[in-house]
Amino acid sequence: MKYTLVLLLALCVPTLTQAQTKDQQIEQLKQKVKSLKHQLRKLKQGLNQPTDSTQTLNINRNANRTQWGCYLDDVKAGNFYGTGSTEAEARGKALQKCSAKGGACFDIDVKCSQSN
Protein backbone atom coordinates (compact mmCIF):
# COMPACT_ATOMS: atom_id res chain seq x y z
CA MET A 1 0.00 0.00 0.00
CA LYS A 2 2.84 2.40 0.82
CA TYR A 3 4.48 1.75 -2.50
CA THR A 4 1.22 2.32 -4.37
CA LEU A 5 0.71 5.65 -2.61
CA VAL A 6 4.30 6.74 -3.36
CA LEU A 7 3.93 5.66 -6.97
CA LEU A 8 0.64 7.53 -7.31
CA LEU A 9 2.16 10.71 -5.83
CA ALA A 10 5.20 10.39 -8.08
CA LEU A 11 2.96 10.31 -11.13
CA CYS A 12 0.63 13.16 -10.08
CA VAL A 13 3.17 15.76 -8.89
CA PRO A 14 4.80 16.38 -12.31
CA THR A 15 1.36 16.58 -13.93
CA LEU A 16 0.25 19.26 -11.45
CA THR A 17 3.47 21.21 -12.01
CA GLN A 18 2.98 21.09 -15.78
CA ALA A 19 -0.63 22.28 -15.39
CA GLN A 20 0.53 25.33 -13.43
CA THR A 21 3.21 26.06 -16.00
CA LYS A 22 0.68 25.86 -18.85
CA ASP A 23 -1.71 28.19 -17.00
CA GLN A 24 1.13 30.65 -16.49
CA GLN A 25 2.07 30.43 -20.15
CA ILE A 26 -1.53 31.04 -21.18
CA GLU A 27 -1.73 34.06 -18.88
CA GLN A 28 1.53 35.46 -20.29
CA LEU A 29 0.23 34.98 -23.84
CA LYS A 30 -3.01 36.79 -22.96
CA GLN A 31 -1.00 39.73 -21.59
CA LYS A 32 1.13 39.80 -24.73
CA VAL A 33 -1.97 39.81 -26.96
CA LYS A 34 -3.40 42.73 -24.96
CA SER A 35 -0.13 44.62 -25.33
CA LEU A 36 0.00 44.00 -29.08
CA LYS A 37 -3.63 45.12 -29.52
CA HIS A 38 -2.82 48.33 -27.64
CA GLN A 39 0.24 48.98 -29.83
CA LEU A 40 -1.79 48.30 -32.98
CA ARG A 41 -4.44 50.79 -31.87
CA LYS A 42 -1.74 53.43 -31.36
CA LEU A 43 -0.30 52.76 -34.81
CA LYS A 44 -3.72 53.08 -36.46
CA GLN A 45 -4.30 56.41 -34.73
CA GLY A 46 -0.87 57.60 -35.86
CA LEU A 47 -1.64 56.75 -39.48
CA ASN A 48 -4.82 58.84 -39.45
CA GLN A 49 -3.07 61.98 -38.17
CA PRO A 50 -0.91 63.98 -40.58
CA THR A 51 2.69 64.28 -39.53
CA ASP A 52 4.92 67.32 -39.77
CA SER A 53 6.86 65.73 -42.63
CA THR A 54 3.63 65.26 -44.63
CA GLN A 55 2.69 68.90 -44.13
CA THR A 56 6.19 70.02 -45.12
CA LEU A 57 6.02 67.88 -48.25
CA ASN A 58 2.71 69.50 -49.28
CA ILE A 59 4.15 72.98 -48.72
CA ASN A 60 7.24 72.13 -50.79
CA ARG A 61 5.07 70.79 -53.62
CA ASN A 62 3.10 74.02 -53.70
CA ALA A 63 6.26 76.11 -53.55
CA ASN A 64 7.87 74.24 -56.48
CA ARG A 65 4.73 74.36 -58.61
CA THR A 66 4.97 76.68 -61.60
CA GLN A 67 2.53 79.57 -61.50
CA TRP A 68 1.21 81.36 -64.55
CA GLY A 69 0.06 84.96 -64.62
CA CYS A 70 -1.86 86.61 -67.43
CA TYR A 71 -2.57 90.31 -67.91
CA LEU A 72 -5.23 91.98 -70.01
CA ASP A 73 -5.51 95.72 -70.61
CA ASP A 74 -8.89 96.83 -71.95
CA VAL A 75 -9.44 100.51 -72.76
CA LYS A 76 -13.09 100.45 -71.73
CA ALA A 77 -13.09 98.09 -68.70
CA GLY A 78 -9.57 98.52 -67.30
CA ASN A 79 -6.76 96.16 -66.37
CA PHE A 80 -7.26 92.52 -65.38
CA TYR A 81 -4.93 89.88 -64.03
CA GLY A 82 -5.48 86.15 -63.64
CA THR A 83 -3.27 83.45 -62.11
CA GLY A 84 -3.33 79.67 -62.38
CA SER A 85 -1.27 76.52 -62.42
CA THR A 86 -1.56 76.41 -66.23
CA GLU A 87 -1.47 79.12 -68.85
CA ALA A 88 -4.99 78.29 -69.99
CA GLU A 89 -6.35 78.65 -66.45
CA ALA A 90 -4.67 82.01 -65.97
CA ARG A 91 -5.90 83.26 -69.37
CA GLY A 92 -9.42 82.14 -68.61
CA LYS A 93 -9.49 83.96 -65.26
CA ALA A 94 -8.24 87.21 -66.79
CA LEU A 95 -10.81 86.99 -69.62
CA GLN A 96 -13.60 86.12 -67.18
CA LYS A 97 -12.85 89.18 -65.02
CA CYS A 98 -12.79 91.39 -68.11
CA SER A 99 -16.10 90.00 -69.37
CA ALA A 100 -17.71 90.52 -65.97
CA LYS A 101 -16.88 94.25 -66.23
CA GLY A 102 -18.36 94.47 -69.71
CA GLY A 103 -15.09 94.96 -71.57
CA ALA A 104 -14.18 94.02 -75.11
CA CYS A 105 -12.13 90.96 -74.13
CA PHE A 106 -10.21 89.00 -76.73
CA ASP A 107 -7.78 86.16 -76.10
CA ILE A 108 -5.29 87.67 -78.52
CA ASP A 109 -4.89 90.68 -76.18
CA VAL A 110 -3.93 88.56 -73.15
CA LYS A 111 -0.22 88.54 -72.26
CA CYS A 112 1.06 85.69 -70.06
CA SER A 113 4.24 84.84 -68.22
CA GLN A 114 5.40 81.93 -66.14
CA SER A 115 7.00 82.24 -62.67
CA ASN A 116 9.83 79.88 -61.78
Side-chain angles (χ1 to χ4, degrees):
M1 185 71 156
K2 277 185 178 181
Y3 296 111
T4 309
L5 184 61
V6 171
L7 183 62
L8 186 61
L9 284 174
L11 292 174
C12 291
V13 170
T15 308
L16 291 173
T17 307
Q18 286 178 355
Q20 283 181 334
T21 305
K22 286 182 183 180
D23 287 341
Q24 289 172 348
Q25 288 175 346
I26 290 172
E27 191 60 37
Q28 287 174 348
L29 288 173
K30 284 181 181 179
Q31 290 297 325
K32 194 166 191 169
V33 168
K34 277 185 183 180
S35 174
L36 289 172
K37 283 182 180 180
H38 179 70
Q39 290 174 359
L40 183 61
R41 212 175 304 121
K42 276 185 162 182
L43 286 173
K44 283 182 181 179
Q45 288 174 352
L47 290 175
N48 292 335
Q49 297 174 354
T51 62
D52 290 336
S53 62
T54 304
Q55 292 170 350
T56 304
L57 181 62
N58 289 338
I59 290 169
N60 288 341
R61 281 185 188 159
N62 291 337
N64 293 335
R65 189 174 67 186
T66 304
Q67 189 74 12
W68 281 87
C70 293
Y71 178 81
L72 174 63
D73 184 21
D74 183 61
V75 176
K76 182 179 174 185
N79 301 323
F80 303 98
Y81 191 77
T83 59
S85 57
T86 63
E87 182 180 6
E89 181 183 2
R91 278 181 177 275
K93 286 181 180 179
L95 287 169
Q96 184 180 23
K97 288 177 183 177
C98 180
S99 295
K101 290 283 187 173
C105 312
F106 298 103
D107 187 48
I108 197 164
D109 297 328
V110 178
K111 311 240 183 312
C112 296
S113 64
Q114 185 178 17
S115 70
N116 293 335

